Amino acid sequence: MKLSSVLSLVNQVEKSKFINAIDRICGDAVKHDKKIVAQLSKLDGQIKNASSTDITQLFNIVLPYFEKSVREQLAMLGAQATLLTNILSRDGNSIARTTWVETLYSKEWDVINRRANELKSDIEALDDSESFSERKRLGIYHACFKEAYANDERINRDAKISDDERGILNVLAKKLDVTADDQAGVEHLVDQIPRNGVQDALNELREIGIVFVSRKRQTVYVPDEIVSLLHRLQGKELADKHLLRILRTFSDAELSNILKNHRKKIRGVERREKVASIMKLGVPVTQILQEDLFNEDINVNERKDRLKSLIQDLGLDLDKLGATLEERTAIILKTLNSCAEKEFNVLSATGFKELFSALQNHFPSLSKVLKQEFELEEQEELDVEKLRALSITPYDILYMLTNDEVKSVVESMGIKKRGNLRLNILNSFADATDKLIDNYAALARRDLASLKTSNIEVPEAEIGVKFEEVTKAIFEQLGLSVDEDLRRSVNTAKDKADILISLSEDDVIVGEAKTCKSGDFARYSTTSRQVKAYVNRCESAGKRVAQVLIVAPTFSEDFVESAEMDTEVNISLLEAEGLKRILDAYKSRRNPKFSAKLFTKGGLLKADLIAKNI
């Protein structure tokens, strides 16, 4: 979830520590940073009273200073805070109940403690005359870590690993090929991680501004921007889910090469186990793509060609490939690290829901697999809304399936088998959305007979939801920013807006999609109460509502007159067939010129005139 959405979701007390952290940083940096001075002048220096949007903009400006501050403070907090940030920055853990965070922490502690005890036995049995074996390398790393930790005591300081020392130890671990789980085990041997006190550690992380804790929901939130920051501090080049994508495209022989390069067992090991073992190594992705993937006799040009085919296998849409091996690697990493928004836009909300539903039908255990892979609570209800909040895209879900499972989906659904099978599945659901758009007017009128004639099967109970989702898809195809994160953050159990369109950082359009089976849509009093409640929710979140837009098959004369005379809120009305004509006109133009402001004129909008002027 984006920072702006988290800020809109939590109350003033719950975001106070984050704001205080930003305020402190601004106080130090304002003397020599003109951008911060300019942003603070917009706020009249009153950060605590700023809107969520203004705070987000300020955060983006002070991010380098914030990152430096977090790095320094995490080093002082010690091993428990490090373990906790490692857990919270993993895929799926950025929104979690505090009790579940404690459960994850306990599981992780047990794994590290078990490995530490194994390492202790190996290191104690080490003979100085022993050759440069794995046990010898671990002994060297342990001795260096112990020295780095204890050297402060000789000058009468608390023993700890400074940020500089950790950087040196990370280089040493890489050169000695000490895996991530062994590094954690050695650290636990030297500086034992406390088993309890997770709540206190969460409060410490909240103090430095990297987590938000909602007392009402008993939930911990780590915004996407801070997850990326933590990955940089950890030296993590890619999220685990993106590394998994890369590994799923490799051949068995290539997976074996990676494991051989780290002296891991490959004989009799199944493909799934190979992938899991590589994920646990903690090896930099750059090293995998430039070195570990290949046999020693493979030259640079052949390695570059392999990365070119990897780009095609991953379906990455790039403007340039890069001339060198290093450039191609950097482009792959950068594209995957910034792909979430683009991947959500590949499918409409309807398409995403239908994909998830279809995959669940094929694999009844899919939700269980996703919960295991992304460390979600067993009792958690998993739906598309939750997946979006956790930044889990349709691509991420398909890459949780093995290549054989993807093949079975393609075969059973009659999807074409050439090319990238995962992309073929996504495209088939994008086509399904287009089919609903083509029959948009019938959907608005709840005309089941017409829908069936077009081979569209929609249960009558789901038509309202489908109409809402297809309306969103149309707005997205018109190039508008349908803000699902904001909608989730402002919606309550009682007040649930259908659509929110962001015009800018501050301005939004509140959209409402209404179906009507017979006659004109005429329920103005009920509808106006709904949209005014949504407007109040948006304004409470620091947004300005530029317009309310209601889409329906047709409107009664009384409804149109009431909307035009309403003095409390600006309302525009748009007929469903008219919106479809606007989309058709937009698609027919080579360089269409369309602005959401065309929806802010008020009253019953003239769709033909809007279409003509696109």
Side-chain angles (χ1 to χ4, degrees):
M1 187 179 284
K2 295 291 185 184
L3 174 61
S4 56
S5 298
V6 174
L7 290 170
S8 298
L9 196 63
V10 297
N11 63 36
Q12 192 65 34
V13 173
E14 292 161 353
K15 61 187 174 187
S16 61
K17 300 298 182 183
F18 173 78
I19 293 172
N20 289 343
I22 298 295
D23 203 1
R24 283 195 304 272
I25 291 166
C26 288
D28 294 334
V30 73
K31 301 166 189 174
H32 53 268
D33 195 311
K34 292 180 180 178
K35 286 185 178 179
I36 294 177
V37 173
Q39 186 64 24
L40 288 175
S41 66
K42 292 181 183 178
L43 306 176
D44 295 327
Q46 299 298 312
I47 299 176
K48 293 179 181 179
N49 298 326
S51 68
S52 299
T53 302
D54 289 330
I55 294 171
T56 303
Q57 290 173 344
L58 182 59
F59 172 79
N60 291 332
I61 295 171
V62 305
L63 182 55
Y65 305 100
F66 184 83
E67 187 167 325
K68 180 175 181 291
S69 171
V70 168
R71 182 188 293 275
E72 292 169 351
Q73 293 181 79
L74 278 179
M76 290 189 290
L77 288 177
Q80 185 173 39
T82 300
L83 174 57
L84 200 50
T85 53
N86 287 345
I87 292 169
L88 292 171
S89 62
R90 288 204 295 251
D91 304 327
N93 292 349
S94 59
I95 303 174
R97 291 196 306 144
T98 51
T99 52
W100 182 241
V101 174
E102 290 176 332
T103 301
L104 292 174
Y105 181 91
S106 180
K107 286 181 181 177
E108 192 83 358
W109 191 94
D110 287 339
V111 170
I112 292 172
N113 190 60
R114 187 162 52 249
R115 184 56 184 155
N117 289 330
E118 293 169 357
L119 293 174
K120 184 179 180 182
S121 300
D122 284 346
I123 292 168
E124 287 176 348
L126 183 63
D127 187 339
D128 288 340
S129 62
E130 193 171 316
S131 63
F132 200 62
S133 62
E134 183 168 356
R135 187 162 64 176
K136 182 80 168 180
R137 288 182 290 102
L138 286 169
I140 293 170
Y141 181 73
H142 174 261
C144 292
F145 200 105
K146 191 174 181 180
E147 175 63 20
Y149 177 73
N151 62 15
D152 292 311
E153 293 176 338
R154 290 198 292 270
I155 52 176
N156 204 27
R157 290 181 178 174
D158 290 336
K160 65 180 178 65
I161 300 293
S162 69
D163 188 52
D164 289 340
E165 288 169 335
R166 190 170 292 279
I168 295 169
L169 288 168
N170 287 342
V171 173
L172 179 65
K174 182 179 178 181
K175 295 299 182 183
L176 293 175
D177 200 14
V178 180
T179 60
D181 53 345
D182 284 347
Q183 289 179 54
V186 167
E187 181 164 1
H188 187 61
L189 273 180
V190 175
D191 178 20
Q192 189 170 50
I193 303 167
R195 178 155 204 167
N196 301 311
V198 176
Q199 289 286 354
D200 291 338
L202 279 174
N203 286 333
E204 289 176 334
L205 296 179
R206 182 172 172 260
E207 285 288 336
I208 64 177
I210 60 175
V211 304
F212 296 80
V213 181
S214 169
R215 297 194 183 280
K216 180 181 177 182
R217 298 178 180 86
Q218 287 295 296
T219 300
V220 179
Y221 298 91
V222 188
D224 294 345
E225 294 89 336
I226 291 178
V227 170
S228 298
L229 180 156
L230 292 174
H231 284 172
R232 290 194 295 274
L233 298 186
Q234 294 157 2
K236 196 170 186 176
E237 295 176 317
L238 277 182
D240 291 340
K241 63 183 183 180
H242 292 141
L243 173 57
L244 179 63
R245 286 190 200 185
I246 291 174
L247 297 179
R248 285 266 161 86
T249 67
F250 290 166
S251 67
D252 283 356
E254 289 172 329
L255 294 174
S256 294
N257 276 346
I258 297 169
L259 291 170
K260 277 192 295 184
N261 280 318
H262 296 278
R263 295 167 301 282
K264 299 299 179 183
K265 179 184 174 184
I266 60 171
R267 192 177 298 276
V269 179
E270 293 184 0
R271 179 180 175 84
R272 186 189 290 270
E273 290 178 62
K274 289 179 182 179
V275 171
S277 296
I278 295 169
M279 295 290 291
K280 291 177 183 176
L281 289 176
V283 179
V285 183
T286 297
Q287 183 178 329
I288 291 175
L289 296 182
Q290 295 180 5
E291 301 171 24
D292 296 347
L293 180 62
F294 307 100
N295 295 323
E296 288 183 3
D297 58 348
I298 301 296
N299 63 40
V300 172
N301 284 334
E302 289 175 302
R303 295 180 190 219
K304 283 165 55 181
D305 288 342
R306 179 62 185 92
L307 292 194
K308 181 180 178 181
S309 65
L310 173 62
I311 289 167
Q312 294 169 344
D313 292 340
L314 291 170
L316 302 183
D317 185 15
L318 305 179
D319 295 328
K320 59 179 182 178
L321 287 175
T324 66
L325 185 66
E326 291 74 19
E327 284 178 357
R328 286 191 182 175
T329 304
I331 288 170
I332 290 170
L333 298 185
K334 182 180 179 182
T335 305
L336 288 173
N337 276 323
S338 58
C339 67
E341 186 172 350
K342 184 176 181 181
E343 290 182 1
F344 276 124
N345 291 337
V346 166
L347 292 181
S348 66
T350 301
F352 193 0
K353 282 187 177 181
E354 291 183 348
L355 168 68
F356 189 53
S357 177
L359 291 177
Q360 284 180 310
N361 288 335
H362 280 90
F363 303 103
S365 62
L366 178 64
S367 289
K368 186 177 180 180
V369 170
L370 291 174
K371 286 176 182 180
Q372 288 175 344
E373 292 288 345
F374 291 105
E375 296 184 314
L376 306 177
E377 285 190 80
E378 273 298 319
Q379 63 267 36
E380 182 119 46
E381 185 178 343
L382 205 55
D383 56 21
V384 168
E385 292 284 312
K386 180 67 176 179
L387 295 171
R388 276 185 174 274
L390 293 170
S391 296
I392 299 171
T393 72
Y395 284 75
D396 295 332
I397 296 171
L398 286 171
Y399 276 100
M400 287 300 130
L401 303 178
T402 66
N403 294 347
D404 288 337
E405 288 170 337
V406 169
K407 286 177 184 176
S408 75
V409 172
V410 167
E411 288 174 3
S412 64
M413 294 182 65
I415 296 169
K416 68 176 183 178
K417 299 178 183 178
R418 289 185 179 180
N420 187 316
L421 299 185
R422 290 179 173 88
L423 288 182
N424 293 347
I425 293 170
L426 289 168
N427 289 334
S428 72
F429 283 91
D431 293 342
T433 300
D434 288 339
K435 199 171 183 180
L436 283 167
I437 290 174
D438 288 340
N439 292 272
Y440 184 61
L443 196 64
R445 297 191 305 271
R446 306 180 74 87
D447 189 346
L448 290 172
S450 294
L451 293 173
K452 285 179 181 178
T453 302
S454 301
N455 295 316
I456 297 174
E457 296 288 338
V458 183
E460 188 168 8
E462 295 178 15
I463 283 183
V465 174
K466 277 280 187 284
F467 182 65
E468 172 192 324
E469 292 170 352
V470 176
T471 304
K472 288 179 191 175
I474 292 174
F475 288 147
E476 287 170 347
Q477 291 190 19
L478 287 170
L480 303 182
S481 176
V482 178
D483 199 331
E484 285 296 289
D485 286 339
L486 177 62
R487 188 174 75 90
R488 275 194 304 275
S489 66
V490 303
N491 277 0
T492 64
K494 182 182 177 183
D495 300 320
K496 294 185 178 181
D498 289 348
I499 304 162
L500 289 180
I501 299 170
S502 287
L503 302 179
S504 66
E505 290 287 345
D506 298 310
D507 297 318
V508 297
I509 291 176
V510 173
E512 191 69 8
K514 298 291 187 183
T515 60
C516 186
K517 192 166 188 176
S518 57
D520 299 324
F521 189 68
R523 292 179 291 177
Y524 186 77
S525 59
T526 303
T527 305
S528 65
R529 279 198 301 273
Q530 288 177 329
V531 297
K532 286 169 187 175
Y534 308 151
V535 168
N536 290 336
R537 293 291 304 165
C538 288
E539 289 175 345
S540 297
K543 302 294 181 181
R544 289 193 296 266
V545 178
Q547 197 76 15
V548 170
L549 176 63
I550 302 173
V551 182
T554 54
F555 298 92
S556 68
E557 288 184 13
D558 287 344
F559 194 101
V560 175
E561 288 177 6
S562 298
E564 289 174 347
M565 297 299 293
D566 200 317
T567 57
E568 294 182 47
V569 64
N570 297 322
I571 296 179
S572 295
L573 310 177
L574 183 58
E575 294 179 349
E577 285 189 6
L579 180 55
K580 178 64 169 56
R581 285 198 297 274
I582 291 169
L583 178 64
D584 291 342
Y586 182 86
K587 287 182 173 180
S588 69
R589 305 288 195 274
R590 179 175 295 178
N591 296 304
K593 295 178 182 178
F594 181 80
S595 169
K597 290 182 179 178
L598 291 169
F599 290 151
T600 63
K601 301 299 181 183
L604 184 60
L605 299 177
K606 297 179 180 178
D608 289 334
L609 187 59
I610 294 173
K612 185 179 178 182
N613 286 283
I614 288 177

